[in-house]
Amino acid sequence: MKNSIVSILCLLTLLIGICSCASTPKIKKSVIEEREERMSWEINSPTGTKIYVLGSVHVGNEETAKIDPLVMEAFLTADCRYGELSLTDILSMEQYIMQVVADTLVLDKEGKNVPVYYFLTEEETAFLINLCKIYLDEEYSEEVFITLSLLPPWYWNNMLDSIATEVAGYNSSLGVDMVLYSKAMENNLEVLGLDTVESQIDVLTFGSLEDQIALLKLNIENLQQDDWDKNINDTLNYYLANDKEGLTKVLTASDEITDLDQEYNDQFLVTLIDERNRLWADKFASMLQEENKTYFVFAGAAHWLYSPTVFELLEQDGLLKWK
């Protein structure tokens, strides 16, 4: 009797195993490989779909604006193109930002605008005035600065980044993204968005008022250092050299913002990278289920190099493997 029960249990175990294997077919993974062109990868799905991925930099010079002919051909001939934002949203972004500026102006208890220099020292304010004089040149006046001072701190932080970028010799119009958006416009091609405008705005306006003021003070301090342009120069140089390891080190080294709360730093990276990469990985998963389509995706190099990358998330989901 005992032997019969053991035999039955063994048979049931075997049948359950067979049924499990039959009801859970093995998923064929898509295969990813690096391409020779700068900061690019190619994913091939068992369904016949191909995704060409290009890591970009959002600012650049004449060198970054030179897109490899093979990359440009892939961009122009793809069935579908994705950037961080759709072309429609890119063209409307300034309007969106101005609305957010209006909604986030700092007001006192009486509803009057509070100028940014209210939160700064005399030395910090003097630095901003001098920077505006250099940047605006003949367009600068005291009245212009007073008007600018009413903009919220988060806008000043982004404005300082833009000014510093141009002073360092780079321009957003020569960044890889804008070159491709412009090419799409020239050829009347649609570009869809991996992100929504809201998620991009969340990055630009991240943090409380106190956080944004602390970051502004830190940015002012950093811009007064002798090596203030080292990070952006290193980033562009590693990018142009297609040095993924070097670029990853720069990105990793800049993930901690000195003198700001660690919780702020961690949550900012979640907003900037983690949450968006998770959403993008889900979109990639949907693309890879399509049959015989070609996609071209271009977005900041950090999303493909800074862990957890979109590729790593797809690997964790069991959908991707390296060649």
Side-chain angles (χ1 to χ4, degrees), residues 74-298:
F75 175 77
L76 294 173
T77 60
D79 295 319
C80 187
R81 285 151 292 275
Y82 275 91
E84 290 191 25
L85 283 176
S86 71
L87 180 55
T88 300
D89 285 340
I90 284 291
L91 296 175
S92 305
M93 193 62 175
E94 185 176 350
Q95 178 183 342
Y96 288 125
I97 290 178
M98 288 301 99
Q99 182 58 55
V100 176
V101 167
D103 293 339
T104 56
L105 292 173
V106 181
L107 306 176
D108 62 18
K109 294 180 179 179
E110 297 178 354
K112 296 180 180 179
N113 292 109
V114 179
V116 70
Y117 55 76
Y118 176 85
F119 306 104
L120 305 176
T121 65
E122 290 185 7
E123 292 77 12
E124 291 167 339
T125 301
F127 175 82
L128 290 185
I129 291 174
N130 188 53
L131 190 65
C132 287
K133 285 180 178 179
I134 295 173
Y135 184 69
L136 297 175
D137 197 16
E138 295 180 357
E139 296 180 14
Y140 177 83
S141 68
E142 185 176 342
E143 291 75 19
V144 168
F145 179 76
I146 290 175
T147 299
L148 291 174
S149 73
L150 299 178
L151 295 169
W154 69 263
Y155 192 90
W156 269 96
N157 281 316
N158 289 283
M159 188 161 59
L160 286 187
D161 285 342
S162 296
I163 293 174
T165 295
E166 293 202 26
V167 172
Y170 306 108
N171 194 292
S172 61
S173 66
L174 297 175
V176 174
D177 306 82
M178 292 312 300
V179 171
L180 292 177
Y181 282 124
S182 296
K183 184 63 68 172
M185 290 178 64
E186 290 175 14
N187 291 272
N188 197 29
L189 297 173
E190 182 181 32
V191 178
L192 302 176
L194 294 168
D195 269 343
T196 62
V197 172
E198 289 76 16
S199 62
Q200 292 265 328
I201 295 295
D202 285 345
V203 173
L204 295 176
T205 63
F206 183 81
S208 65
L209 176 61
E210 291 74 18
D211 291 330
Q212 294 166 9
I213 293 168
L215 183 58
L216 178 57
K217 287 175 171 288
L218 183 60
N219 282 334
I220 292 172
E221 178 184 339
N222 288 340
L223 287 173
Q224 296 180 79
Q225 304 304 312
D226 292 336
D227 61 348
W228 63 271
D229 57 350
K230 183 179 187 307
N231 186 274
I232 189 169
N233 286 332
D234 286 349
T235 297
L236 269 295
N237 288 335
Y238 282 130
Y239 182 83
L240 288 171
N242 197 30
D243 186 343
K244 296 181 178 70
E245 182 178 350
L247 185 53
T248 301
K249 287 181 179 179
V250 172
L251 295 171
T252 304
S254 62
D255 67 359
E256 293 186 1
I257 306 175
T258 309
D259 296 337
L260 290 185
D261 186 86
Q262 187 60 45
E263 184 179 350
Y264 169 92
N265 296 331
D266 293 342
Q267 189 54 50
F268 177 70
L269 288 173
V270 169
T271 302
L272 177 66
I273 302 292
D274 297 19
E275 291 178 349
R276 296 165 71 204
N277 281 8
R278 178 67 267 173
L279 292 173
W280 295 8
D282 292 341
K283 289 191 175 184
F284 268 63
S286 296
M287 293 180 208
L288 293 170
Q289 291 177 12
E290 297 288 337
E291 293 187 359
N292 303 313
K293 292 192 70 174
T294 58
Y295 290 90
F296 189 101
V297 178
F298 62 100

